[in-house]
mmCIF file of all heavy atoms in Angstrom:
data_model
loop_
_atom_site.group_PDB
_atom_site.id
_atom_site.type_symbol
_atom_site.label_atom_id
_atom_site.label_comp_id
_atom_site.label_asym_id
_atom_site.label_seq_id
_atom_site.Cartn_x
_atom_site.Cartn_y
_atom_site.Cartn_z
ATOM 1 N N ARG A 528 -45.214 46.474 60.739
ATOM 2 C CA ARG A 528 -45.585 45.110 60.367
ATOM 3 C C ARG A 528 -45.666 44.975 58.865
ATOM 4 O O ARG A 528 -46.361 45.734 58.224
ATOM 5 C CB ARG A 528 -46.888 44.708 61.026
ATOM 6 C CG ARG A 528 -46.892 44.793 62.528
ATOM 7 C CD ARG A 528 -45.986 43.765 63.162
ATOM 8 N NE ARG A 528 -46.002 43.876 64.598
ATOM 9 C CZ ARG A 528 -45.279 43.111 65.404
ATOM 10 N NH1 ARG A 528 -44.519 42.163 64.908
ATOM 11 N NH2 ARG A 528 -45.331 43.265 66.717
ATOM 12 N N ARG A 529 -44.972 44.018 58.313
ATOM 13 C CA ARG A 529 -45.075 43.731 56.896
ATOM 14 C C ARG A 529 -45.142 42.234 56.709
ATOM 15 O O ARG A 529 -44.981 41.483 57.650
ATOM 16 C CB ARG A 529 -43.853 44.256 56.154
ATOM 17 C CG ARG A 529 -43.683 45.762 56.151
ATOM 18 C CD ARG A 529 -42.548 46.133 55.179
ATOM 19 N NE ARG A 529 -42.241 47.530 55.256
ATOM 20 C CZ ARG A 529 -41.331 48.050 56.066
ATOM 21 N NH1 ARG A 529 -40.661 47.273 56.867
ATOM 22 N NH2 ARG A 529 -41.086 49.356 56.042
ATOM 23 N N LYS A 530 -45.282 41.883 55.499
ATOM 24 C CA LYS A 530 -45.253 40.466 55.183
ATOM 25 C C LYS A 530 -43.830 39.937 55.487
ATOM 26 O O LYS A 530 -42.846 40.534 55.134
ATOM 27 C CB LYS A 530 -45.560 40.246 53.691
ATOM 28 C CG LYS A 530 -45.597 38.802 53.300
ATOM 29 C CD LYS A 530 -45.948 38.653 51.824
ATOM 30 C CE LYS A 530 -45.930 37.193 51.382
ATOM 31 N NZ LYS A 530 -46.246 37.048 49.963
ATOM 32 N N ARG A 531 -43.795 38.818 56.164
ATOM 33 C CA ARG A 531 -42.520 38.262 56.599
ATOM 34 C C ARG A 531 -41.711 37.799 55.423
ATOM 35 O O ARG A 531 -42.166 37.149 54.514
ATOM 36 C CB ARG A 531 -42.796 37.070 57.534
ATOM 37 C CG ARG A 531 -41.526 36.360 58.035
ATOM 38 C CD ARG A 531 -40.731 37.322 58.891
ATOM 39 N NE ARG A 531 -39.556 36.645 59.419
ATOM 40 C CZ ARG A 531 -38.549 37.287 59.997
ATOM 41 N NH1 ARG A 531 -38.600 38.596 60.126
ATOM 42 N NH2 ARG A 531 -37.512 36.617 60.457
ATOM 43 N N ARG A 532 -40.425 38.205 55.397
ATOM 44 C CA ARG A 532 -39.495 37.743 54.390
ATOM 45 C C ARG A 532 -38.138 37.560 55.067
ATOM 46 O O ARG A 532 -37.959 37.939 56.212
ATOM 47 C CB ARG A 532 -39.350 38.749 53.254
ATOM 48 C CG ARG A 532 -38.841 40.112 53.711
ATOM 49 C CD ARG A 532 -38.383 40.961 52.540
ATOM 50 N NE ARG A 532 -37.972 42.264 52.978
ATOM 51 C CZ ARG A 532 -36.807 42.537 53.554
ATOM 52 N NH1 ARG A 532 -35.961 41.549 53.782
ATOM 53 N NH2 ARG A 532 -36.497 43.753 53.929
ATOM 54 N N ARG A 533 -37.241 36.973 54.366
ATOM 55 C CA ARG A 533 -35.912 36.767 54.932
ATOM 56 C C ARG A 533 -35.193 38.122 55.052
ATOM 57 O O ARG A 533 -35.240 38.916 54.097
ATOM 58 C CB ARG A 533 -35.098 35.815 54.024
ATOM 59 C CG ARG A 533 -35.594 34.378 54.059
ATOM 60 C CD ARG A 533 -34.699 33.507 53.233
ATOM 61 N NE ARG A 533 -35.128 32.135 53.263
ATOM 62 C CZ ARG A 533 -34.513 31.111 52.633
ATOM 63 N NH1 ARG A 533 -33.418 31.366 51.947
ATOM 64 N NH2 ARG A 533 -34.974 29.879 52.719
ATOM 65 N N PRO A 534 -34.559 38.359 56.178
ATOM 66 C CA PRO A 534 -33.889 39.661 56.348
ATOM 67 C C PRO A 534 -32.610 39.724 55.512
ATOM 68 O O PRO A 534 -32.005 38.715 55.182
ATOM 69 C CB PRO A 534 -33.574 39.697 57.845
ATOM 70 C CG PRO A 534 -33.453 38.246 58.222
ATOM 71 C CD PRO A 534 -34.454 37.512 57.385
ATOM 72 N N ARG A 535 -32.247 40.935 55.170
ATOM 73 C CA ARG A 535 -30.960 41.187 54.504
ATOM 74 C C ARG A 535 -29.988 41.688 55.540
ATOM 75 O O ARG A 535 -30.359 42.192 56.614
ATOM 76 C CB ARG A 535 -31.163 42.216 53.363
ATOM 77 C CG ARG A 535 -31.965 41.699 52.219
ATOM 78 C CD ARG A 535 -31.850 42.648 51.012
ATOM 79 N NE ARG A 535 -32.585 43.852 51.288
ATOM 80 C CZ ARG A 535 -33.833 44.087 50.869
ATOM 81 N NH1 ARG A 535 -34.473 43.136 50.205
ATOM 82 N NH2 ARG A 535 -34.441 45.229 51.133
ATOM 83 N N ARG A 536 -28.688 41.604 55.180
ATOM 84 C CA ARG A 536 -27.642 42.073 56.110
ATOM 85 C C ARG A 536 -27.900 43.532 56.445
ATOM 86 O O ARG A 536 -28.167 44.369 55.583
ATOM 87 C CB ARG A 536 -26.280 41.888 55.483
ATOM 88 C CG ARG A 536 -25.869 40.451 55.343
ATOM 89 C CD ARG A 536 -24.515 40.318 54.665
ATOM 90 N NE ARG A 536 -24.535 40.896 53.308
ATOM 91 C CZ ARG A 536 -23.447 40.923 52.529
ATOM 92 N NH1 ARG A 536 -22.343 40.411 52.925
ATOM 93 N NH2 ARG A 536 -23.537 41.463 51.312
ATOM 94 N N GLY A 537 -27.798 43.837 57.747
ATOM 95 C CA GLY A 537 -28.105 45.193 58.231
ATOM 96 C C GLY A 537 -29.484 45.274 58.854
ATOM 97 O O GLY A 537 -29.774 46.243 59.553
ATOM 98 N N GLU A 538 -30.312 44.248 58.665
ATOM 99 C CA GLU A 538 -31.628 44.177 59.274
ATOM 100 C C GLU A 538 -31.584 43.230 60.467
ATOM 101 O O GLU A 538 -30.573 42.596 60.723
ATOM 102 C CB GLU A 538 -32.650 43.751 58.230
ATOM 103 C CG GLU A 538 -32.754 44.687 57.067
ATOM 104 C CD GLU A 538 -33.701 44.203 55.975
ATOM 105 O OE1 GLU A 538 -34.216 43.066 56.095
ATOM 106 O OE2 GLU A 538 -33.917 44.931 54.989
ATOM 107 N N ASP A 539 -32.720 43.097 61.158
ATOM 108 C CA ASP A 539 -32.783 42.254 62.328
ATOM 109 C C ASP A 539 -32.949 40.783 61.948
ATOM 110 O O ASP A 539 -33.916 40.397 61.301
ATOM 111 C CB ASP A 539 -33.956 42.674 63.241
ATOM 112 C CG ASP A 539 -33.634 43.909 64.034
ATOM 113 O OD1 ASP A 539 -32.473 44.058 64.448
ATOM 114 O OD2 ASP A 539 -34.528 44.740 64.239
ATOM 115 N N PHE A 540 -31.998 39.945 62.373
ATOM 116 C CA PHE A 540 -32.032 38.505 62.147
ATOM 117 C C PHE A 540 -32.464 37.795 63.416
ATOM 118 O O PHE A 540 -32.129 38.224 64.525
ATOM 119 C CB PHE A 540 -30.646 38.005 61.770
ATOM 120 C CG PHE A 540 -30.224 38.250 60.353
ATOM 121 C CD1 PHE A 540 -29.929 39.529 59.911
ATOM 122 C CD2 PHE A 540 -30.123 37.183 59.454
ATOM 123 C CE1 PHE A 540 -29.534 39.768 58.599
ATOM 124 C CE2 PHE A 540 -29.707 37.419 58.148
ATOM 125 C CZ PHE A 540 -29.431 38.704 57.727
ATOM 126 N N ASN A 541 -33.196 36.691 63.262
ATOM 127 C CA ASN A 541 -33.312 35.742 64.349
ATOM 128 C C ASN A 541 -32.013 34.978 64.443
ATOM 129 O O ASN A 541 -31.190 34.940 63.510
ATOM 130 C CB ASN A 541 -34.488 34.772 64.070
ATOM 131 C CG ASN A 541 -35.827 35.480 64.173
ATOM 132 O OD1 ASN A 541 -35.995 36.428 64.910
ATOM 133 N ND2 ASN A 541 -36.754 34.987 63.363
ATOM 134 N N PHE A 542 -31.796 34.353 65.622
ATOM 135 C CA PHE A 542 -30.534 33.637 65.805
ATOM 136 C C PHE A 542 -30.354 32.525 64.811
ATOM 137 O O PHE A 542 -29.257 32.360 64.236
ATOM 138 C CB PHE A 542 -30.480 33.092 67.226
ATOM 139 C CG PHE A 542 -29.198 32.406 67.580
ATOM 140 C CD1 PHE A 542 -28.006 33.075 67.531
ATOM 141 C CD2 PHE A 542 -29.203 31.041 67.917
ATOM 142 C CE1 PHE A 542 -26.798 32.431 67.814
ATOM 143 C CE2 PHE A 542 -28.025 30.401 68.223
ATOM 144 C CZ PHE A 542 -26.809 31.078 68.164
ATOM 145 N N THR A 543 -31.387 31.761 64.534
ATOM 146 C CA THR A 543 -31.282 30.681 63.592
ATOM 147 C C THR A 543 -31.067 31.180 62.166
ATOM 148 O O THR A 543 -30.360 30.520 61.365
ATOM 149 C CB THR A 543 -32.549 29.813 63.621
ATOM 150 O OG1 THR A 543 -33.703 30.647 63.435
ATOM 151 C CG2 THR A 543 -32.674 29.085 64.946
ATOM 152 N N GLU A 544 -31.569 32.361 61.845
ATOM 153 C CA GLU A 544 -31.332 32.938 60.517
ATOM 154 C C GLU A 544 -29.858 33.391 60.387
ATOM 155 O O GLU A 544 -29.291 33.270 59.302
ATOM 156 C CB GLU A 544 -32.258 34.149 60.308
ATOM 157 C CG GLU A 544 -33.733 33.760 60.178
ATOM 158 C CD GLU A 544 -34.664 34.963 60.175
ATOM 159 O OE1 GLU A 544 -34.265 36.021 60.711
ATOM 160 O OE2 GLU A 544 -35.776 34.843 59.647
ATOM 161 N N ALA A 545 -29.310 33.885 61.462
ATOM 162 C CA ALA A 545 -27.910 34.329 61.407
ATOM 163 C C ALA A 545 -26.964 33.107 61.272
ATOM 164 O O ALA A 545 -25.903 33.224 60.643
ATOM 165 C CB ALA A 545 -27.562 35.133 62.659
ATOM 166 N N LEU A 546 -27.348 31.994 61.891
ATOM 167 C CA LEU A 546 -26.469 30.821 61.902
ATOM 168 C C LEU A 546 -26.187 30.272 60.497
ATOM 169 O O LEU A 546 -25.207 29.552 60.305
ATOM 170 C CB LEU A 546 -27.067 29.733 62.764
ATOM 171 C CG LEU A 546 -26.944 29.910 64.296
ATOM 172 C CD1 LEU A 546 -27.611 28.744 65.018
ATOM 173 C CD2 LEU A 546 -25.480 30.030 64.714
ATOM 174 N N VAL A 547 -27.062 30.533 59.548
ATOM 175 C CA VAL A 547 -26.864 29.975 58.191
ATOM 176 C C VAL A 547 -26.176 30.975 57.293
ATOM 177 O O VAL A 547 -26.027 30.724 56.086
ATOM 178 C CB VAL A 547 -28.199 29.542 57.580
ATOM 179 C CG1 VAL A 547 -28.851 28.458 58.409
ATOM 180 C CG2 VAL A 547 -29.163 30.753 57.435
ATOM 181 N N LYS A 548 -25.727 32.117 57.872
ATOM 182 C CA LYS A 548 -25.063 33.140 57.052
ATOM 183 C C LYS A 548 -23.541 32.965 57.153
ATOM 184 O O LYS A 548 -22.960 32.806 58.211
ATOM 185 C CB LYS A 548 -25.450 34.538 57.514
ATOM 186 C CG LYS A 548 -26.932 34.868 57.246
ATOM 187 C CD LYS A 548 -27.217 34.890 55.773
ATOM 188 C CE LYS A 548 -28.664 35.247 55.465
ATOM 189 N NZ LYS A 548 -28.928 35.251 54.009
ATOM 190 N N ALA A 549 -22.896 33.054 55.974
ATOM 191 C CA ALA A 549 -21.428 32.936 55.960
ATOM 192 C C ALA A 549 -20.745 34.054 56.738
ATOM 193 O O ALA A 549 -19.718 33.828 57.378
ATOM 194 C CB ALA A 549 -20.940 32.911 54.513
ATOM 195 N N ASP A 550 -21.355 35.264 56.700
ATOM 196 C CA ASP A 550 -20.762 36.400 57.404
ATOM 197 C C ASP A 550 -20.690 36.144 58.913
ATOM 198 O O ASP A 550 -19.739 36.580 59.575
ATOM 199 C CB ASP A 550 -21.576 37.681 57.123
ATOM 200 C CG ASP A 550 -21.455 38.104 55.704
ATOM 201 O OD1 ASP A 550 -20.521 37.671 55.021
ATOM 202 O OD2 ASP A 550 -22.329 38.864 55.242
ATOM 203 N N PHE A 551 -21.741 35.488 59.437
ATOM 204 C CA PHE A 551 -21.733 35.192 60.872
ATOM 205 C C PHE A 551 -20.561 34.299 61.251
ATOM 206 O O PHE A 551 -19.859 34.571 62.252
ATOM 207 C CB PHE A 551 -23.051 34.544 61.266
ATOM 208 C CG PHE A 551 -23.209 34.285 62.731
ATOM 209 C CD1 PHE A 551 -23.730 35.257 63.560
ATOM 210 C CD2 PHE A 551 -22.853 33.047 63.253
ATOM 211 C CE1 PHE A 551 -23.885 35.030 64.949
ATOM 212 C CE2 PHE A 551 -23.023 32.797 64.622
ATOM 213 C CZ PHE A 551 -23.527 33.794 65.453
#
């Protein structure tokens, strides 16, 4: 558990977080 931050590529994304990524 850590302070919540935006994930970087290679880490676990929520579905909505992935939807805003160009790579997705």
Side-chain angles (χ1 to χ4, degrees):
R528 301 293 181 180
R529 295 188 187 92
K530 182 179 178 180
R531 179 64 178 167
R532 61 166 177 77
R533 291 184 178 181
R535 292 192 288 265
R536 291 177 300 180
E538 300 175 355
D539 283 324
F540 281 71
N541 291 329
F542 182 61
T543 53
E544 293 171 336
L546 284 179
V547 299
K548 293 296 181 180
D550 293 340
F551 183 87

